[in-house]
Amino acid sequence: MPHFIQFSAQFQRLVKESMFLFPDPPCNKQPQTQECDPERPLHDLIYPYPGALTAPDRQYWPADVVPKERYLAGHVVFFSPDINLIHVDHFDWNERLRKAGAEIAGEYNERVSIVICRSRSSPFYIEACRDGKLVVSIWWVANTIARQRVVSPLRVLLDYPAPAGGIPGMEKMIITFSGYREVAFGYLQRLAIMCGAMVSQKIVRSTSVLISSTKSSRKFEKAKYNGIPVVNHLWLEDCYRQWSILPMSEERFSQYPGETILSPLVGLTALDPKRIELWWKEPSFRPREVTRRPRPVWKPIQSAADKQETLVEHRTEETKKGYDSERKRQRTDEDIDMEAPRQIGAVISQRPTREGSVENETNTRKHYKIATTAITLSTDEKAGIRKLGGSLTDKITSATHLLVENRVLRTPKFLCGVNLGIEILNREWIRCSIDANRWLDTSLFHVADKENEMKYKFTLQSSLREARNHMEASNTSTPHGMWLSGYEVFVLQPSKSKALAEVIATAGGKLLSTISSKKLRELESSDNYKLLIVSDANERGDWEKYRKQGLPVYDLELIIVGALRQRLDLDEYVL
């Protein structure tokens, strides 16, 4: 079926071919509800996490089978001291590895070929990577014992040691899951925790995002009704892979072709070797981390104070009652979503708040000044902004946020917005904020336009950070950036000059309406005179005379692309 190619391209992953085979493609059938089996592997790569509860009195451990072949023969395995192994009477890690042909080393040396580490901050991790060893996590060991073969730890996100901290910004997020079952749910929940997020069993008022495999669940409907963003699991996996909170507005994150197509893709995202090198090769390029919280799960209180929320760290006794009978029967999407292997623990009653949450009334009604470019807001959207305490402005220098469609633009307002380092957001931020009756976290609605970022060789969020870092106020208290600071700019075409006037001003430059003979002579005789003559490249008649005088003339792209990159690239745009 052509859908195989369509979905593979859409998700940027190879979907399961067998779902599309003629004459009776399984993808056209309704998925059959299967009896729950908490020990059934997700697919041939991912098995349950070692030690996970699969019943009140049962934990999962890879079966003690005689390997068909010694698939670890020739390998010397070293357990890094940061690994806290769970030892039980009937499970011996070393013995299982020896049965597969491995030798266990008591210390790190040149003979070691496989190093098992807990995190990428371990000195053993960095040393092992630099020595060219195979570096793996404890889950890789358990998966390898179950797979009965060696697979690169980069094939599965959690087969490789995780960062010690979380993704910056993810610590503010509360994630709820819908539709993912058993090992898939356990894998995604653990991935969310490794990213630094909190995991909620149910939709609560502070839920940041619902990760769903289907549109047909009650959670999906509730999230949409409350203006909570909904994505599929690919968003979470790609956030971990790139170690960054990715915009939820990318089309592939909101596609739901059916559980039979989407769910089998869980865990098939691989790590990028070039990105992994950043963690150990050069400390100055190491990605940033934030301290991860303990592993909390948000759960509503079932009482008179039912509108509040309580942070539950572990499983309560009530959740264990009837466990066996519930596990055996066929269950709905909502039943399975609620379950996670946790142990008995304490309840923390204090509620953390975050920007944009209902609890923080100051942020909820913060007065944002919103500008737009290349879009027209509806009457309802304008009214919704005012209802939330915001206002609209046509002056980009007064704006706190700029709304656009989900793409990079070359309009004066967009370029000025970059120069000023203001928030440039997908218009969905307004729509979802209005639906939720609160300002939502802006980091979830950043513009995602990889095509234009590659075309102009920049990244929008990096340029905005650069602009904010160098922002200053002029003598007239008008904010501006710095990348044109000290430069005078003369645009040869008056119509272009008018369009670029504010772009130049917000970059810290000074636009000249005319250029005197004296300035030209100074420019000819000085290598340090900071005057830029720019022109439309197609208007050769306007700039050729300056070239004949030996004066450099630059393409208008110097200013336009310069604003996007937040730097001057003179050699690239000289005419």
Side-chain angles (χ1 to χ4, degrees):
M1 291 181 70
H3 298 85
F4 166 73
I5 298 174
Q6 174 192 338
F7 290 132
S8 294
Q10 200 170 58
F11 293 137
Q12 299 177 18
R13 288 157 176 81
L14 193 65
V15 300
K16 202 172 180 181
E17 296 179 38
S18 59
M19 300 303 300
F20 300 90
L21 293 178
F22 282 107
D24 190 18
C27 64
N28 289 338
K29 300 178 181 178
Q30 287 292 327
Q32 294 183 348
T33 304
Q34 296 180 327
E35 184 175 341
C36 294
D37 180 1
E39 296 191 9
R40 181 173 52 223
L42 178 55
H43 39 63
D44 65 348
L45 284 179
I46 301 177
Y47 290 74
Y49 190 77
L53 279 173
T54 55
D57 58 349
R58 178 176 170 80
Q59 291 177 301
Y60 168 81
W61 300 99
D64 188 10
V65 297
V66 177
K68 296 178 181 178
E69 59 181 67
R70 291 166 61 83
Y71 51 87
L72 287 176
H75 282 290
V76 179
V77 177
F78 172 71
F79 286 88
S80 170
D82 67 346
I83 287 287
N84 296 320
L85 288 180
I86 303 174
H87 288 287
V88 291
D89 293 339
H90 61 279
F91 190 88
D92 186 329
W93 291 93
N94 293 347
E95 182 60 27
R96 298 293 178 91
L97 291 171
R98 288 192 184 100
K99 282 184 178 180
E103 177 185 341
I104 309 300
E107 61 181 18
Y108 182 79
N109 55 51
E110 61 182 15
R111 293 185 60 248
V112 168
S113 57
I114 299 177
V115 177
I116 305 167
C117 294
R118 183 178 183 182
S119 82
R120 300 178 199 175
S121 296
S122 164
F124 285 96
Y125 166 80
I126 295 172
E127 184 178 6
C129 288
R130 290 175 176 169
D131 291 346
K133 311 293 187 184
L134 185 67
V135 183
V136 302
S137 71
I138 195 66
W139 203 345
W140 178 89
V141 178
N143 280 331
T144 299
I145 292 171
R147 295 169 188 150
Q148 299 285 300
R149 70 185 194 279
V150 175
V151 173
S152 167
L154 300 182
R155 284 277 304 278
V156 177
L157 297 178
L158 296 181
D159 270 5
Y160 194 80
I167 298 172
M170 194 73 88
E171 76 280 4
K172 302 175 183 177
M173 299 186 68
I174 301 168
I175 295 176
T176 302
F177 293 96
S178 177
Y180 297 99
R181 296 167 169 79
E182 305 303 344
V183 178
F185 174 62
Y187 176 84
L188 292 174
Q189 178 180 244
R190 191 168 295 273
L191 193 63
I193 292 169
M194 292 298 102
C195 287
M198 290 182 286
V199 177
S200 167
Q201 293 185 18
K202 295 184 179 181
I203 296 283
V204 293
R205 291 192 304 165
S206 296
T207 297
S208 307
V209 58
L210 173 68
I211 297 178
S212 179
S213 68
T214 175
K215 285 184 173 182
S216 60
S217 72
R218 294 196 302 274
K219 285 186 185 176
F220 188 98
E221 295 174 0
K222 187 174 181 180
K224 284 295 185 181
Y225 179 80
N226 288 283
I228 295 171
V230 183
V231 293
N232 57 45
H233 72 273
L234 300 181
W235 174 79
L236 180 63
E237 292 188 356
D238 281 2
C239 285
Y240 185 87
R241 180 178 189 266
Q242 299 185 35
W243 203 245
S244 173
I245 299 178
L246 300 179
M248 297 182 186
S249 50
E250 287 191 35
E251 185 179 3
R252 62 198 172 99
F253 298 146
S254 58
Q255 298 299 308
Y256 299 94
E259 288 186 64
T260 54
I261 296 171
L262 192 58
S263 292
L265 293 178
V266 172
L268 295 184
T269 300
L271 288 165
D272 181 352
K274 290 184 178 180
R275 289 182 182 274
I276 287 297
E277 284 184 359
L278 298 176
W279 291 91
W280 60 265
K281 205 164 192 176
E282 178 54 56
S284 60
F285 292 106
R286 184 182 176 88
R288 197 164 70 86
E289 305 168 69
V290 294
T291 303
R292 275 202 299 262
R293 300 185 183 194
R295 301 182 179 182
V297 174
W298 285 80
K299 185 176 180 181
I301 298 175
Q302 301 302 318
S303 68
D306 152 30
K307 292 184 179 179
Q308 302 196 5
E309 294 146 5
T310 297
L311 191 59
V312 180
E313 285 188 333
H314 304 292
R315 180 188 292 275
T316 61
E317 288 289 355
E318 287 74 21
T319 61
K320 287 190 173 183
K321 293 179 180 178
Y323 191 98
D324 289 328
S325 60
E326 287 296 309
R327 285 302 233 176
K328 290 176 182 176
R329 70 180 178 85
Q330 295 182 354
R331 289 168 292 177
T332 65
D333 164 79
E334 298 305 309
D335 292 324
I336 294 167
D337 286 334
M338 298 304 106
E339 296 180 358
R342 281 176 290 281
Q343 297 173 344
I344 302 171
V347 175
I348 303 173
S349 60
Q350 184 176 358
R351 295 179 300 167
T353 59
R354 61 183 177 85
E355 181 181 356
S357 70
V358 176
E359 293 84 352
N360 192 335
E361 198 63 33
T362 302
N363 282 334
T364 303
R365 298 300 167 191
K366 189 170 181 178
H367 185 75
Y368 291 143
K369 294 183 179 180
I370 296 167
T372 64
T373 181
I375 63 171
T376 302
L377 296 178
S378 68
T379 303
D380 288 344
E381 287 171 328
K382 292 176 182 178
I385 289 170
R386 289 191 290 270
K387 183 180 178 182
L388 290 175
S391 63
L392 292 166
T393 179
D394 288 328
K395 292 182 63 177
I396 190 65
T397 52
S398 300
T400 58
H401 298 72
L402 177 65
L403 298 184
V404 298
E405 293 294 354
N406 192 33
R407 59 193 176 95
V408 169
L409 302 173
R410 291 161 53 99
T411 64
K413 273 189 181 178
F414 191 96
L415 300 177
C416 289
V418 180
N419 285 338
L420 297 169
I422 69 174
E423 294 267 25
I424 301 179
L425 304 172
N426 183 339
R427 71 181 299 169
E428 286 298 313
W429 174 63
I430 283 298
R431 293 171 177 168
C432 291
S433 293
I434 292 170
D435 288 344
N437 196 33
R438 59 187 172 98
W439 295 118
L440 296 179
D441 186 351
T442 57
S443 65
L444 308 178
F445 297 90
H446 288 161
V447 170
D449 187 356
K450 297 299 181 187
E451 182 179 348
N452 273 320
E453 287 184 331
M454 291 178 64
K455 178 179 178 180
Y456 297 117
K457 301 174 184 176
F458 85 113
T459 57
L460 180 58
Q461 296 308 314
S462 296
S463 294
L464 291 172
R465 281 194 298 271
E466 183 77 12
R468 290 169 195 144
N469 289 340
H470 294 92
M471 187 65 62
E472 69 166 21
S474 67
N475 293 333
T476 58
S477 300
T478 302
H480 63 73
M482 291 288 289
W483 69 274
L484 273 180
S485 182
Y487 279 94
E488 294 180 321
V489 182
F490 178 54
V491 183
L492 297 183
Q493 292 78 32
S495 61
K496 307 289 186 183
S497 178
K498 184 178 180 181
L500 290 175
E502 198 167 20
V503 178
I504 293 167
T506 54
K510 179 181 178 182
L511 179 67
L512 300 179
S513 56
T514 59
I515 184 169
S516 65
S517 300
K518 180 181 178 181
K519 282 189 180 292
L520 288 176
R521 287 194 299 271
E522 289 175 345
L523 186 60
E524 289 180 67
S525 60
S526 174
D527 293 332
N528 298 320
Y529 195 72
K530 300 176 78 172
L531 172 65
L532 301 174
I533 302 175
V534 299
S535 172
D536 185 331
N538 297 321
E539 302 293 339
R540 192 179 185 90
D542 291 340
W543 53 266
E544 187 64 29
K545 61 181 179 181
Y546 295 99
R547 285 286 307 277
K548 288 180 179 178
Q549 296 178 54
L551 300 174
V553 181
Y554 302 96
D555 194 328
L556 288 170
E557 294 294 290
L558 177 74
I559 305 299
I560 297 170
V561 179
L564 296 176
R565 297 176 182 171
Q566 289 296 290
R567 68 172 186 264
L568 271 174
D569 291 310
L570 297 175
D571 292 340
E572 185 175 349
Y573 292 107
V574 67
L575 294 174

